[in-house]
């Protein structure tokens, strides 16, 4: 059974950098899947942040692209998210999720999700 | 890239059928058959219910079905049960390797 687990600081100061890691177990971050981040502000809907392939190819939400970086560490079976210059609007539960795909093509749906981690931006 | 439009809330009685709509544009739902639906209970992670418009993952009840017509996708739940009460989100490929979600619909089982 595939499991994903997010980890990282729960509190980030405004103008700082949000950094999260997603550990993959029961599968591999180096398999033929894409790996994605989705966030949900308190009481609001879901927002796709971006995706990364096992080879490190990335695609980002245009509205966040200038502030987002995703990386994948195949040897450690995890992938990571960084969001720079954060503001209170970045306060949200952050989910990592798996997207089936083959090679350079994602199939654009999420079949496994982590439990989510709340990140609050506040001084 | 704008969020897909879903009704804020829908309701139904046990045993009834309900349909949740998800309206996009020719840039997303209208062009690509890459619409998925997610169920989210309070405090929990979303769960995949439908992918590629109408395909159901293993383990998801056949009471859940999906369809698409033009720029609007729909999720239908038949034989409504108390445990179906949750938030539902649609999601569509929007071209240029991007995805867009709907705003979410709260389903209340009366």
């Amino acid at each position: 059974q595939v499991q994903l687990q997010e980890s990282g600081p729960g509190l980030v100061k405004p103008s700082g950098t949000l950094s999260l890691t997603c550990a993959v177990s029961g599968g591999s971050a180096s398999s033929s899947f894409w790996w994605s981040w989705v966030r949900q502000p308190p009481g609001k809907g879901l927002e796709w942040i971006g995706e990364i392939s096992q080879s490190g190819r990335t695609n980002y939400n245009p509205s966040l692209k200038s502030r987002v970086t995703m990386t994948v560490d195949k040897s450690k079976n995890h992938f990571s998210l960084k969001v720079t210059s954060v503001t209170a609007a970045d306060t949200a539960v952050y989910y990592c999720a798996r997207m089936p795909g083959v090679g350079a093509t994602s199939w654009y749906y999420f079949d496994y999700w982590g439990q989510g981690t709340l990140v609050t931006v506040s001084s | 890239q704008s969020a897909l439009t879903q009704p804020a809330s829908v309701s139904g009685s046990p045993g009834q059928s309900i349909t949740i709509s998800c309206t996009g544009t020719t840039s997303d739902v209208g062009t690509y058959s890459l619409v998925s639906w997610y169920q989210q209970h309070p405090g929990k992670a979303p769960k995949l219910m439908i992918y590629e418009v109408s395909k159901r993952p293993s383990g998801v009840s056949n009471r859940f079905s999906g369809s698409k017509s033009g720029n609007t996708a729909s999720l239908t739940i038949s034989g409504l049960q108390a445990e179906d009460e949750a938030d539902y989100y649609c999601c569509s490929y929007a071209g240029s390797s991007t995805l867009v979600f709907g705003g979410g619909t709260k389903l209340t089982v009366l």
Side-chain angles (χ1 to χ4, degrees), chain A residues 40 48 59 95 108 110 113-114, chain B residues 38 40 44-46 48 89 97:
Chain A
Q40 185 172 35
W48 178 71
N59 295 302
Y95 295 99
Y108 292 105
F110 311 97
W113 296 70
Chain B
Y38 303 87
Q40 186 180 36
K44 300 294 185 181
L48 177 66
Y89 292 90
S97 301

Side-chain angles (χ1 to χ4, degrees), chain B residues 9-103:
Chain B
S9 64
V10 298
S11 63
S13 299
Q16 288 186 331
S17 293
I18 64 95
T19 296
I20 300 172
S21 63
C22 170
T23 301
T25 68
T26 53
S27 296
D28 38 63
V29 176
T31 295
Y32 305 102
S33 292
L34 293 171
V35 177
S36 52
W37 290 89
Y38 303 87
Q39 176 192 66
Q40 186 180 36
H41 287 109
K44 300 294 185 181
K47 174 187 176 183
L48 177 66
M49 306 303 285
I50 295 288
Y51 66 100
E52 292 175 3
V53 176
S54 60
K55 296 179 180 179
R56 212 171 31 247
S58 174
V60 171
S61 170
N62 59 10
R63 297 185 298 105
F64 291 82
S65 62
S67 62
K68 188 184 84 163
S69 177
N71 296 337
T72 299
S74 299
L75 173 71
T76 297
I77 308 174
S78 59
L80 210 54
Q81 298 179 1
E83 59 260 37
D84 299 332
E85 184 162 295
D87 294 327
Y88 290 84
Y89 292 90
C90 62
C91 182
S92 175
Y93 180 67
S96 301
S97 301
T98 63
L99 280 170
V100 62
F101 279 98

Side-chain angles (χ1 to χ4, degrees), chain A:
Chain A
Q1 178 74 350
V2 175
Q3 292 188 320
L4 292 85
Q5 179 68 57
E6 305 89 349
S7 62
L11 182 63
V12 181
K13 294 185 185 304
S15 78
T17 297
L18 178 161
S19 296
L20 295 174
T21 295
C22 180
V24 181
S25 60
S28 173
S30 63
S31 299
S32 295
F33 297 103
W34 286 67
W35 307 90
S36 206
W37 291 94
V38 175
R39 69 181 184 179
Q40 185 172 35
K44 297 187 178 181
L46 302 169
E47 179 181 34
W48 178 71
I49 299 172
E51 61 176 357
I52 186 167
S53 70
Q54 76 275 12
S55 65
R57 177 176 172 178
T58 56
N59 295 302
Y60 300 136
N61 185 325
S63 67
L64 297 168
K65 187 175 182 177
S66 63
R67 299 192 294 127
V68 169
T69 302
M70 294 182 184
T71 56
V72 62
D73 187 329
K74 301 177 195 178
S75 63
K76 296 182 180 178
N77 263 19
H78 71 224
F79 58 105
S80 301
L81 169 71
K82 288 188 186 298
V83 182
T84 60
S85 305
V86 297
T87 69
D90 294 307
T91 293
V93 173
Y94 285 75
Y95 295 99
C96 57
R98 191 182 81 167
M99 303 174 74
V102 173
T105 304
S106 166
W107 294 342
Y108 292 105
Y109 63 91
F110 311 97
D111 61 351
Y112 287 95
W113 296 70
Q115 65 184 26
T117 186
L118 175 63
V119 178
T120 301
V121 178
S122 175
S123 56

